[in-house]
């Protein structure tokens, strides 16, 4: 076991450890909480081989290069180990849509990342959520309001301040459903109304009384 | 075959008949951009024409359509939003990222290459002087689609589709009708949520199709399906803009290359 340790760590130079520490700091400022224990003590990734389990508190950097040989590819090895660790944690905690693969969770502009941070997903279930919408079409007393989802909603013009609701007006809505669908008897797929459902609460620009 | 069809086009049969038929179907009259009527050039120019036609084939993305949009643009236009789980078509499952709170989410990492391929193909067809027909029976965006077609000098059909429009064209519209070389579906469903008849008819007539398929659509017979949202105005405007820009870019490139090589109708053959 002891013989394995120097050969494992022989790959790392001080510069590489510094780079690792920079990468680790960037990651710790990200979203995944479960990685923090790994960041503080990188050597614990190879926990079965670690003979000197020192908790990384800034001393890991200086103590590591004592038994290390210069070699390239450390970053790849670290990534590989963190992937394995993440897969292990995935199996423990069960699948979740945000952790598709390690590379996409790292890349801030990946689709998974964009989706996870989008307001529609952060909102959760649509029932009884207050959102802001904008009227984009008016037909008599029907107001077609778009609030940022796939479909628009259609609301009746309210009796109070009725003439203020014109095309382009911003309004407040309480959502019921993002898409009105239902499976009827004898049908193979749902029938959809291509509309969302919401209650109109009022205009968005109303001044709130200051406390 | 393409060269043969092309010479037919150059003969001035840029299908006024078909155009008239399509326009009469839609009961609206607007003129498309008139192509310069080329004189039937002698055969020694055909080799140069063929060389010109093969120029874009040397590069995988000759018209640089991948620069026209990014994943973030698609995301901001709400292209990834799908219908509810109960409306899902079984064959769209490979294109889905997943389902959240009963709503399907389309995988934009797959949509991006599909859309790039579709735009690239459209550009090549437009470069070679093909007729492009925009089809969409989605009433909310009918006017948008017709306006897009007019702005890029192509055709649109957003009204009731007569059964024999493609398959019975020679009888309904007379002999020698030129059918479209590409049909772009901005929504593959008709008003009763069935697959548009034109998809099957285009497959029967060997006409390639590009189609925006939502999670409740069947992507089977479409040559270049693009798994994307087709219900939101923001997304539809994005597609219309992308197709319009691609077609105009391809046509401008054609004119530019023709002028460079001296193959324009007004210049003598080299």
């Amino acid at each position: 076991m002891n013989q394995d340790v120097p050969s494992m760590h022989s790959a790392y130079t001080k510069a590489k450890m510094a780079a690792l520490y920079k990468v680790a700091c960037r990651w710790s400022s990200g979203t995944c909480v479960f990685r923090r224990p790994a960041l503080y003590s990188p050597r614990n990734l190879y926990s079965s081989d670690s003979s000197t389990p020192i908790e990384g508190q800034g001393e890991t950097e200086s103590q590591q290069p004592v038994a290390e040989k210069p070699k390239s590819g450390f970053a790849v090895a670290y990534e590989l180990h963190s992937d394995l660790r993440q897969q292990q944690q995935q199996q423990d905690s069960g699948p979740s849509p945000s952790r598709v693969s390690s590379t996409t969770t790292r890349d801030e502009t990946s689709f998974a990342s964009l989706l996870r941070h989008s307001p529609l997903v952060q909102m959760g279930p649509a029932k009884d959520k207050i959102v802001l919408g904008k009227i984009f079409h008016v037909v008599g007393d029907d107001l077609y309001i778009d609030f940022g989802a796939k479909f628009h909603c259609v609301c009746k013009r309210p009796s109070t301040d009725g003439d203020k609701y014109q095309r382009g007006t911003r309004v407040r809505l309480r959502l019921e459903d993002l898409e009105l669908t239902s499976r009827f008897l004898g049908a193979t797929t749902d029938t959809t109304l291509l509309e969302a459902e919401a209650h109109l609460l009022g205009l968005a620009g109303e001044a709130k009384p200051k406390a | 075959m393409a060269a043969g069809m092309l010479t037919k086009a150059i003969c001035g049969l840029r299908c006024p008949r078909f155009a008239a038929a399509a326009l009469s179907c839609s009961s609206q009259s607007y003129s498309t951009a008139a192509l310069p009527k080329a004189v039937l050039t002698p055969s020694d120019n055909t080799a140069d024409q063929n060389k010109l036609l093969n120029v874009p084939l040397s590069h995988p993305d000759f018209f640089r359509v991948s620069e026209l949009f990014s994943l973030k643009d698609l995301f901001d236009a709400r292209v990834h939003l799908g219908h509810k789980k109960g409306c899902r078509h079984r064959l769209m499952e490979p294109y889905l990222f997943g389902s959240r709170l009963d709503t399907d989410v389309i995988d934009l990492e797959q949509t991006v290459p599909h859309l790039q391929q579709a735009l690239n193909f459209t550009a090549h067809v437009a470069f070679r002087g093909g007729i492009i027909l925009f089809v969409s029976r989605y009433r909310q965006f009918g006017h948008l689609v017709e306006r897009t077609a007019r702005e890029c000098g192509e055709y649109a059909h957003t009204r009731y589709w007569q059964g024999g429009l493609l398959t019975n064209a020679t009888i309904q519209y007379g002999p020698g009708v030129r059918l479209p070389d590409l049909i772009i579906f901005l929504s593959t469903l008709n008003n009763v949520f069935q697959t548009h008849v034109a998809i099957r008819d285009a497959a029967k007539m060997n006409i390639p199709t590009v189609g925006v398929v939502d999670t409740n659509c069947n992507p089977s017979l479409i040559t270049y399906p693009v798994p994307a949202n087709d219900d939101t105005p923001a997304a539809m405007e994005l597609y219309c803009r992308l197709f319009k820009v691609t077609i105009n870019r391809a046509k401008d490139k054609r004119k530019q290359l023709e002028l460079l090589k001296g193959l324009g109708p007004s210049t003598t053959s080299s």
Side-chain angles (χ1 to χ4, degrees), chain A residues 71-185:
Chain A
K71 232 192 227 179
S72 63
F74 163 70
V76 174
Y78 184 72
E79 275 182 15
L80 173 66
H81 269 276
S82 61
D83 287 353
L84 291 172
R85 177 155 240 177
Q86 192 183 1
Q87 274 170 28
Q88 193 188 18
Q89 297 230 353
Q90 251 182 357
Q91 281 157 19
D92 292 339
S93 59
S96 60
S98 59
R99 299 177 198 156
V100 174
S101 77
S102 55
T103 45
T104 50
T105 47
R106 282 186 211 129
D107 185 4
E108 288 308 312
T109 57
S110 75
F111 172 56
S113 174
L114 282 174
L115 184 71
R116 193 152 65 93
H117 298 290
S118 68
L120 213 58
V121 166
Q122 294 286 324
M123 175 178 81
K127 187 97 173 98
D128 295 333
K129 293 286 191 305
I130 313 286
V131 296
L132 286 179
K134 190 168 148 188
I135 302 177
F136 69 94
H137 196 231
V138 177
V139 177
D141 267 349
D142 292 326
L143 310 169
Y144 290 72
I145 304 163
D146 173 34
F147 54 90
K150 184 170 164 88
F151 296 105
H152 57 271
C153 65
V154 185
C155 299
K156 278 272 180 239
R157 191 190 293 267
S159 42
T160 60
D161 287 335
D163 52 343
K164 286 197 183 164
Y165 295 90
Q166 301 302 333
R167 195 183 263 202
T169 315
R170 294 206 169 264
V171 293
R172 275 171 70 235
L173 304 164
R174 188 178 69 238
L175 294 183
E176 294 296 323
D177 201 355
L178 286 182
E179 185 183 352
L180 292 169
T181 55
S182 186
R183 178 77 57 103
F184 289 99
L185 269 180

Side-chain angles (χ1 to χ4, degrees), chain B residues 176-207:
Chain B
V177 175
R178 186 174 162 200
L179 293 179
D181 299 303
L182 171 67
I183 300 183
I184 299 180
F185 288 92
L186 289 159
S187 167
T188 49
L189 298 179
N190 60 16
N191 286 329
V192 278
F193 300 102
Q194 291 164 347
T195 315
H196 203 292
V197 171
I199 294 174
R200 191 199 65 198
D201 285 353
K204 282 184 185 175
M205 304 303 291
N206 282 341
I207 298 170

Side-chain angles (χ1 to χ4, degrees), chain B residues 51-101:
Chain B
K51 254 189 247 173
L52 172 66
L53 291 177
N54 290 337
V55 164
L57 298 177
S58 55
H59 195 275
D61 193 6
F62 185 78
F63 301 99
R64 290 180 292 137
V65 294
S66 46
E67 295 168 13
L68 288 176
F69 67 96
S70 67
L71 196 144
K72 187 83 171 55
D73 294 335
L74 296 185
F75 189 86
D76 291 333
R78 309 178 226 164
V79 165
H80 59 290
L81 299 175
H83 287 269
K84 289 263 161 132
K85 194 172 66 174
C87 300
R88 188 194 305 167
H89 197 281
R90 195 174 64 86
L91 294 171
M92 285 300 290
E93 279 165 17
Y95 302 119
L96 294 183
F97 183 73
S99 177
R100 182 188 154 91
L101 296 168

Side-chain angles (χ1 to χ4, degrees), chain B residues 97-167:
Chain B
F97 183 73
S99 177
R100 182 188 154 91
L101 296 168
D102 269 357
T103 317
D104 289 336
V105 175
I106 297 169
D107 191 0
L108 287 189
E109 308 267 7
Q110 291 187 49
T111 303
V112 166
H114 277 95
L115 186 54
Q116 282 174 356
Q117 281 178 14
L119 289 174
N120 188 32
F121 185 75
T122 315
H124 279 267
V125 169
F127 180 88
R128 299 170 91 92
I131 291 184
I132 296 175
L133 182 67
F134 287 88
V135 172
S136 167
R137 199 58 176 108
Y138 206 107
R139 284 194 159 115
Q140 190 178 355
F141 311 117
H143 179 70
L144 173 69
V145 170
E146 287 177 351
R147 200 177 65 219
T148 308
R150 176 175 44 190
E151 283 167 4
C152 58
E154 297 296 339
Y155 302 82
H157 188 103
T158 56
R159 310 300 163 104
Y160 178 73
W161 181 273
Q162 278 185 340
L165 206 150
L166 292 179
T167 45

